[in-house]
Amino acid sequence: MSKYIVNGNNPLNGKVKIHGAKNAVLPVLAASVVSGRESIIHNCPMLSDVSESMEILKFLGCDAVIEGGTAVINSGNLVTDEVPGELMLKMRSSVIFLGALIARCKSGKVTLPGGCEIGPRPIDLHLKAFKEMGIEIEDRGGIISCDGRNMKSADVHLDFPSVGATENIMLAATGAKGVTKITNAAREPEIVDLQEYLKKAGFMVSGAGSDTVYIEGSDEGKRTEHCIIPDRIEAATFACAVLMTRGKAELDNVCPEHMWAFLSALKECGADITIKNDTLRLDGKKRIKAVKHIRTQPYPGFPTDMQSVFMSLMTLSDGTSVVTENIFKDRFRHVDGLVRMGADIVTDGNVAVIRGRKKLSGATVSANDLRGGAALTIAALAAEGESVVDNLCYIDRGYEKFEENLRLLGADIQRK
Ligand code: UD1
């Protein structure tokens, strides 16, 4: 298992370009199944989750190649409507292929991904909506078979604005006659990106970014060229790393309007940030103040995916911060590692209280999930002495060339 060896306490200085968004590219790759035509997707991050999605596409019968951040997929000749268990289990978001297969083949079969590092990941909301659309579902020991021959458009209401459920319903609905309406839909920028892709692919989709999304089914897919939005979580990770190490850096290819909750929290902490078009400039000369209370929420609230890196930053702030995690049950798994580095954090259920310290010290820690692993890595960059961050397989799922980009900014970090 690979690990990082980090010699910390070096300010990160310079410039780094943010990649395309992992959470946007995965549903768009699945959506390429729907059109039955060629899709050219630019600004794809080169991540293990993206490679797994390309494997699924090839298994389904698509021509699928990716090079230099551009994926070219032709879904003209599908050979199966089933994603086998071994491919499904590698990546939780593979469940999004179900909606795409139902739209295209009027049937689909997948193995449930089950729980994951950050807590249970049920798909009851996806399946409830599919049933309302007339899709028949059979669950045999976690193998879900869907029959969409009698599928129709419907008005579906989500009890919670789930990102994955919204995307899955949008994809399935492209294959249902009439207009499907999703209320209490997730409003994340990645949903808007999926809408933009689907519109270019010939489908009438509107409302993404608001809580009501409309999708009109069609059989007429088109050749599509699309560019993935920048990764707001990668940008937040680098921003926290720069501020924690008291560096000064510029992040390019950022979409600041996707990051208001995070940027507003940074402003509350007195961070020196300048926003110019798609560039974020950060100056960490001053020590950051604590934040009063961060609560993770669906977009446009503070994102759960930024909670761990933000908590890392708070460990070195002046004062006491409170963080409440409202989205996932088990998302404080980075706390033990941070405490090992000398952070003062107490948790009770989904609440963490962080008393800022003046310094952290190097330690041996293990990534237990993707964003938690990133949080430990940036803490190691700010800590005095050597740290080892183990279990990099998690970090590789979400950050392209993470250590290379950090080294560009002057970090002393090696993969062993
Ligand atoms: C997506 C993101 C993930 C992010 C999350 C929340 C991708 C690939 N992943 O995950 O990085 O952390 O949104 O912003 O885009 N839930 C149910 N039943 C369901 C579906 C969800 O109870 O059928 C619950 C989940 O257990 C969780 C909450 O709803 O507690 C949010 O989940 P959801 O928005 O669906 O997250 P994902 O789409 O899995």
Side-chain angles (χ1 to χ4, degrees), residues 165-339:
T166 304
E167 293 166 343
N168 230 342
I169 302 162
M170 284 167 77
L171 293 183
T174 60
K177 276 212 173 66
V179 177
T180 293
K181 178 180 171 188
I182 311 172
T183 49
N184 200 26
R187 297 164 60 186
E188 270 69 0
E190 292 76 18
I191 308 274
V192 180
D193 206 37
L194 179 61
Q195 166 176 287
E196 293 315 301
Y197 167 83
L198 288 171
K199 277 163 64 181
K200 290 179 200 161
F203 300 96
M204 301 269 282
V205 186
S206 60
S210 78
D211 61 3
T212 308
V213 179
Y214 300 89
I215 311 100
E216 186 171 349
S218 162
D219 299 328
E220 292 295 313
K222 280 196 209 153
R223 181 185 180 274
T224 315
E225 197 158 349
H226 181 72
C227 186
I228 296 294
I229 55 170
D231 197 316
R232 58 199 170 104
I233 306 158
E234 187 190 21
T237 305
F238 276 90
C240 290
V242 171
L243 294 171
M244 265 192 105
T245 58
R246 313 291 291 271
K248 187 174 177 179
E250 220 172 87
L251 312 182
D252 285 341
N253 191 35
V254 172
C255 199
E257 55 267 39
H258 294 167
M259 301 176 68
W260 286 137
F262 173 78
L263 293 173
S264 126
L266 283 188
K267 281 187 187 154
E268 183 188 330
C269 303
D272 185 346
I273 321 167
T274 318
I275 301 167
K276 200 168 173 212
N277 305 322
D278 68 347
T279 299
L280 212 58
R281 285 198 193 106
L282 302 134
D283 188 341
K285 201 159 59 199
K286 293 190 299 221
R287 184 179 179 204
I288 219 118
K289 289 184 291 185
V291 71
K292 211 165 159 194
H293 193 171
I294 286 293
R295 299 168 185 86
T296 63
Q297 282 167 348
Y299 191 85
F302 194 95
T304 175
D305 285 344
M306 297 180 191
Q307 176 261 106
S308 57
V309 291
F310 195 80
M311 190 188 292
S312 265
L313 176 62
M314 289 304 99
T315 62
L316 287 176
S317 68
D318 182 9
T320 300
S321 310
V322 179
V323 171
T324 304
E325 170 58 51
N326 290 314
I327 307 294
F328 288 107
K329 283 214 157 45
D330 206 3
R331 227 174 180 181
F332 283 156
R333 296 182 70 198
H334 47 284
V335 168
D336 281 353
L338 292 175
V339 169

